[in-house]
């Protein structure tokens, strides 16, 4: 996707923020709008913005409460908080922002996945792999993809925001949203190992700019309920990998007595810049101390010594902040997702097997990888088929391929292939056109349809003043209709045959 214009950029920013800011600045506004009585139910929020990555890491940003202020700064910014907060402020010395904690969120607009490679060259080489790994439940594609210095950030934007309300001492919408976010990251990591699962679910991310948007499809927003349904199904399929199995189902037990804690406490080679690193290690250890009823002072002394022993120590202020967060009462204990990821990232081969064979089965359950199993699951074959169709397509058109060729390429048996293709067709996850006369069937996925739409839109922008614009606009609308029908397949809506649409 070429550089977008200012109008499209502002449309993207508005789409993500869901009308969550005021239209004009409170002071020094350059816009004159008719007076409008404020509706108490129309509560607006505030976001944080940063002009550089260095400012972001030091929380040296500024608050933005209006679209006017955001648009004035658009291409000058590098990072932002795409989910609005109820309030934000500054520390007494005005050097840092405060208030950007998850319990202060006003609404959730998007779920964002951070993908990090070793460098920009590796990022560019893996662009197609990234784009083909973002389909959730065969019908949910991202709305927006940004290119970063060494990777990509993927936005799954909600059709309508999820508002955060406190009920008693709990935040039900926030709790469910965190589960959805973790499952999205885990699902993409199944096929794309560079996903940063340690990334804060609703924190600071790259902001869309004219020079970093590589994919934008406003039609691909998703209902919160649709994501929740997908998340529940994903959780049930991968429960053994995602959850701690406790002897005592009520509590976490003494996490500091579990083998992983002692192993992690004595690791000294955890370095920055390698995905899940020092910050998450300290926070995970601190949460284990908290859940095991260790005093905050004893926890600090223990982890201060751990930090000192690291070959590259964490900044003292960051260490103190991790311990403070762990003892804030927001969390119950160390998360199995992060424990598993720390083990897989930092354990040597011998350490991994020792942990696997230790008496730790009450806290860590190792799911067999696909290569160690005799049979593949149906959902794995589905993913294989969709990836095959996407890669085999020319110019994003439907793929004509014989079942014999599919069997040969995937190593799948005829009976398994028939079963999986029938499931994909019955659930409207792939459009299948029968050619007849012993010809190969043609297959079209949602990913290919969206790529067609993206191509048509780019062509439309280039030929806006040409004679063929009206015809191209009609084709775009037809593609949108087909995409919507395919997206609705999750609810059982029948789709039209591919032959009824001129895809160009």
């Amino acid at each position: 996707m070429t550089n977008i214009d200012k109008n499209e950029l502002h449309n993207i920013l508005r789409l993500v923020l869901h009308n969550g800011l005021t239209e004009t600045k409170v002071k020094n506004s350059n816009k004159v709008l008719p007076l409008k009585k404020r509706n108490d139910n129309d509560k607006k929020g505030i976001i944080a913005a940063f002009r550089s990555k260095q400012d972001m890491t030091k929380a040296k940003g500024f608050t933005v409460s209006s679209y006017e202020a955001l648009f004035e700064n658009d291409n000058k910014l590098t990072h932002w908080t795409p989910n609005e907060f109820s309030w934000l402020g500054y520390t007494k010395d005005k050097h840092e922002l405060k208030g950007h904690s998850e319990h202060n969120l006003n609404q959730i607009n998007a779920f964002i996945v951070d993908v990090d490679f070793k460098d920009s060259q590796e990022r560019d080489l893996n662009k197609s792999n990234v784009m083909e790994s973002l389909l959730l439940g065969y019908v949910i594609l991202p709305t927006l993809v940004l290119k970063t210095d060494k990777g990509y950030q993927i936005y799954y934007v909600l059709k309508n925001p999820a508002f955060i309300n406190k009920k008693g001492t709990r935040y039900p919408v926030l709790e469910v949203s965190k589960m959805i976010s973790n499952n999205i990251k885990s699902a993409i990591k199944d096929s794309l190992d560079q996903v940063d699962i340690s990334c804060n679910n609703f924190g600071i991310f790259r902001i869309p700019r004219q020079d970093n948007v590589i994919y934008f499809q406003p039609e691909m927003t998703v209902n919160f309920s649709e994501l929740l349904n997908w998340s529940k199904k994903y959780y049930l399929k991968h429960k053994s990998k995602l959850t701690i199995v406790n002897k005592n189902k009520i509590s976490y037990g003494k996490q500091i007595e579990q083998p992983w804690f002692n192993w992690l406490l004595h690791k000294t080679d955890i370095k920055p810049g390698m995905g899940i690193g020092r910050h998450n290690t300290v926070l995970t250890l601190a949460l284990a101390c908290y859940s095991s009823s260790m005093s905050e002072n004893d926890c600090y002394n223990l982890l201060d010594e751990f930090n000192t022993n690291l070959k590259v120590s964490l900044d003292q202020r960051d260490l103190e902040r991790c311990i403070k967060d762990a003892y804030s009462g927001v969390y119950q204990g160390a998360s199995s997702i992060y424990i598993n990821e720390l083990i897989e990232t930092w354990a040597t081969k011998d350490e991994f097997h020792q942990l696997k064979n230790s008496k730790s089965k009450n806290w860590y359950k190792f799911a067999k990888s696909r290569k160690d199993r005799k049979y593949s699951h149906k959902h794995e074959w589905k993913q294989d088929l969709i990836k095959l169709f996407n890669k085999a397509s020319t110019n994003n058109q439907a793929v004509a391929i014989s079942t014999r060729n599919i069997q040969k390429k995937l190593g799948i048996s005829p009976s398994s292939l028939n079963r999986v293709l029938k499931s994909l067709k019955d659930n409207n996850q792939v459009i299948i056109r029968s050619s007849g006369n012993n010809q190969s069937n043609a297959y079209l996925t949602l990913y290919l349809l969206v790529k067609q739409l993206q191509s048509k839109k780019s062509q439309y922008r280039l030929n806006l003043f040409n004679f063929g614009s009206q015809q191209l606009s009609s084709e775009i609308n037809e593609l949108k209709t087909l995409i919507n029908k395919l997206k609705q397949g999750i609810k059982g809506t029948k789709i039209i045959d591919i032959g009824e649409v001129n895809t160009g």
Side-chain angles (χ1 to χ4, degrees), residues 123-217:
R123 172 202 67 195
D124 294 341
L125 287 172
N126 283 277
K127 181 181 175 182
S128 60
N129 292 335
V130 171
M131 297 303 294
E132 289 167 9
S133 302
L134 307 181
L135 188 64
L136 306 174
Y138 312 106
V139 292
I140 301 171
L141 272 167
T143 316
L144 176 70
V145 178
L146 308 181
K147 182 169 68 174
T148 66
D149 295 339
K150 294 190 292 184
Y152 302 93
Q153 288 193 351
I154 298 99
Y155 281 63
Y156 294 87
V157 180
L158 292 173
K159 190 165 289 186
N160 296 297
F163 293 98
I164 307 298
N165 292 306
K166 188 176 182 181
K167 291 190 177 180
T169 58
R170 297 180 57 211
Y171 297 79
V173 173
L174 180 60
E175 291 170 12
V176 171
S177 298
K178 286 166 70 174
M179 177 194 72
I180 292 172
S181 181
N182 286 331
N183 285 344
I184 290 173
K185 288 187 282 189
S186 182
I188 298 175
K189 190 173 177 64
D190 286 343
S191 54
L192 193 65
D193 197 50
Q194 291 79 8
V195 171
D196 181 5
I197 67 160
S198 64
C199 183
N200 189 328
N201 290 319
F202 307 111
I204 302 167
F205 296 93
R206 291 279 178 172
I207 188 170
R209 294 158 51 115
Q210 284 183 263
D211 60 356
N212 70 356
V213 175
I214 64 168
Y215 166 98
F216 174 57
Q217 291 298 338

Side-chain angles (χ1 to χ4, degrees), residues 467-480:
F467 178 77
S469 294
Q470 187 172 355
Q471 180 187 352
L472 202 56
S473 178
S474 174
E475 289 182 19
I476 287 172
N477 289 331
E478 287 175 334
L479 276 171
K480 286 181 182 179

Side-chain angles (χ1 to χ4, degrees), residues 219-252:
E219 297 82 12
M220 302 311 294
T221 54
V222 58
N223 287 317
F224 187 86
S225 58
E226 190 177 348
L227 265 181
L228 180 58
N229 287 336
W230 167 84
S231 183
K232 286 177 180 176
K233 291 176 183 176
Y234 179 82
Y235 175 80
L236 290 173
K237 282 181 181 177
H238 301 81
K239 192 174 181 181
S240 62
K241 187 177 73 172
L242 298 173
T243 57
I244 295 175
V245 181
N246 295 295
K247 286 180 179 177
N248 183 344
K249 293 183 180 179
I250 298 173
S251 69
Y252 275 72

